[in-house]
Amino acid sequence: MASQSHRRQVFLFLAAVLLPCVALLALGLLLVVQERELGVARFDEERRRVTRQLRQDLSTQLDRIALRQATALADGPELLHAWTYDDSLVALVAGFAEGRLSLPWEQDEASSDSRALLGQGEFGDRVRQGERAEFASENPARALNPYRQALEVAQHPVQEAYARHLLARALNKTGRQEDATTEYLRLVTAPPTLVDENGIPISLYAARQLLETGQSDASVWEALRRSLSTEKWLAPPALYLLRDLANRLTSGVSDAPLSEDAQSLVDDVSVKLARTEQALALKADFTTLGLSAPDEMPAHRENGWIAYGTPTWLVGVAPVGYRENSVLVAVRSAPILASLGAGTYGSGDVVGEASLTTAAAP
């Protein structure tokens, strides 16, 4: 009986000690789990806050860049077709109206001015007379006099350059290669600002003919370099011709230093052509991007910038327009994201990272 009473006392003692311990242990585990859940929630909230801050800072910086470019146009309208902008982050500035984007070389009046000048007055009459003889009658010899007369009555440098080009072409067709080469050597030194109605520097036609006859002297190299170094966007036809001429130079050079120079020329043309083709693609896709003029934008919008192309441009609309046009600005994403990544965002273990994800092409 005493033994049974003793066992009961031991059991009650253990129950009195162990049950509170188990309860405390369970409560402690519950608190640990709850603390972990609260930590995850705080981390997620801080991460969302950092993300919002990154987005806001990126949008603010992009809006400032766009505003600077748009306001600069008021003092310097020529910036609308400039190849290099005062901000190295900017890849493109273009005007648009009524859903149509106008690219920089389309804003340049040189091509339209040439079109008017080349068909103007007596000069235009002589050119048309020569072209009828050269092409309709297939008699380039009869075209020589009209082209010479056009050269004599030329009143503008672009008229003179174009007439010399036509004369050299007709001389070449009649078998007078030496005389044609003389004219081409004069023409190849013409400045790249003298363009035809397609925006192609007329000197490049001379460079092409000289290369075809095996002459790749310094004047040809200089003509290509001058055209490539222009401060304006070149029209795509001019860039394609430059690429062909540069490739021809590369294949025709055996000397190592000259070969390196030729390859450098090819690389420089490729860089300009890639940027130009991306601008062309942007124009083709413009109506599908959902960009609108400042006065048509919703009052509250989270972000008016979109990622486009490869390499990625961040494309948006400046908050102010230029004359009757709105202003589209494309910013290179890599350097601006790098500048954001250099900053510190968040606190504790939460650090914001600037990265960009673009949707796959359909």
Side-chain angles (χ1 to χ4, degrees):
M1 189 70 178
S3 176
Q4 185 176 3
S5 175
H6 177 71
R7 285 197 298 271
R8 183 181 295 112
Q9 289 176 353
V10 171
F11 175 77
L12 291 174
F13 174 77
L14 291 175
V17 173
L18 292 178
L19 286 177
C21 290
V22 171
L24 288 173
L25 180 60
L27 181 60
L29 290 174
L30 180 61
L31 290 174
V32 169
V33 171
Q34 289 179 340
E35 182 62 27
R36 286 181 178 176
E37 291 176 348
L38 288 173
V40 171
R42 285 194 296 268
F43 183 87
D44 289 343
E45 177 58 31
E46 179 66 5
R47 185 170 57 183
R48 286 191 292 269
R49 187 192 68 79
V50 169
T51 300
R52 288 193 299 270
Q53 184 179 352
L54 278 168
R55 286 178 177 173
Q56 182 60 43
D57 288 355
L58 176 60
S59 181
T60 299
Q61 189 169 346
L62 289 170
D63 287 342
R64 287 174 179 169
I65 291 173
L67 179 60
R68 284 198 302 269
Q69 296 304 314
T71 53
L73 290 175
D75 298 325
E78 69 280 358
L79 294 176
L80 206 54
H81 44 78
W83 174 256
T84 304
Y85 304 103
D86 58 355
D87 190 333
S88 61
L89 295 175
V90 177
L92 173 68
V93 176
F96 72 91
E98 299 179 355
R100 183 181 182 277
L101 185 66
S102 297
L103 295 174
W105 59 88
E106 297 170 338
Q107 302 284 336
D108 191 357
E109 297 178 352
S111 299
S112 56
D113 289 346
S114 292
R115 185 177 296 108
L117 286 167
L118 297 181
Q120 193 176 77
E122 186 179 358
F123 176 85
D125 292 339
R126 298 287 79 78
V127 167
R128 286 186 288 271
Q129 181 183 353
E131 289 178 336
R132 284 194 297 270
E134 182 181 0
F135 296 108
S137 302
E138 297 183 352
N139 190 343
R142 286 181 55 192
L144 292 175
N145 280 338
Y147 289 155
R148 287 194 180 98
Q149 292 168 1
L151 185 58
E152 291 172 359
V153 300
Q155 297 180 345
H156 190 279
V158 74
Q159 292 178 329
E160 180 181 348
Y162 191 69
R164 195 173 299 282
H165 161 58
L166 298 179
L167 177 60
R169 185 178 67 192
L171 286 168
N172 190 54
K173 287 182 178 180
T174 58
R176 298 169 60 178
Q177 279 78 21
E178 186 174 343
D179 292 336
T181 298
T182 299
E183 297 297 336
Y184 281 131
L185 287 172
R186 292 178 182 174
L187 182 59
V188 79
T189 61
T193 52
L194 301 181
V195 300
D196 66 4
E197 65 274 15
N198 297 312
I200 299 176
I202 300 174
S203 60
L204 293 184
Y205 294 119
R208 180 176 61 187
Q209 290 302 125
L210 290 171
L211 283 175
E212 287 183 356
T213 58
Q215 300 192 41
S216 56
D217 60 11
S219 61
V220 175
W221 288 77
E222 290 170 4
L224 269 59
R225 274 295 176 194
R226 281 196 305 271
S227 296
L228 193 60
S229 301
T230 181
E231 296 179 356
K232 298 180 180 180
W233 285 71
L234 286 171
L239 281 173
Y240 290 126
L241 179 55
L242 266 172
R243 181 187 61 185
D244 293 343
L245 297 178
N247 285 329
R248 191 175 300 179
L249 270 176
T250 304
S251 61
V253 172
S254 57
D255 183 75
L258 289 179
S259 180
E260 291 179 3
D261 290 342
Q263 187 57 51
S264 174
L265 185 64
V266 171
D267 294 341
D268 291 345
V269 173
S270 297
V271 169
K272 281 205 169 187
L273 192 54
R275 184 171 157 193
T276 300
E277 288 180 335
Q278 186 158 335
L280 284 168
L282 178 61
K283 178 174 182 174
D285 295 337
F286 180 70
T287 56
T288 68
L289 300 181
L291 297 172
S292 56
D295 56 355
E296 298 173 357
M297 293 179 183
H300 302 286
R301 56 171 185 158
E302 181 180 349
N303 188 2
W305 293 82
I306 61 171
Y308 182 84
T310 304
T312 305
W313 291 350
L314 298 174
V315 181
V317 179
V320 296
Y322 170 68
R323 295 180 180 174
E324 69 279 5
N325 292 330
S326 300
V327 178
L328 175 142
V329 178
V331 179
R332 296 179 176 89
S333 66
I336 196 169
L337 290 178
S339 69
L340 287 175
T344 301
Y345 294 85
S347 59
D349 295 329
V350 182
V351 179
E353 293 183 356
S355 62
L356 184 67
T357 302
T358 56

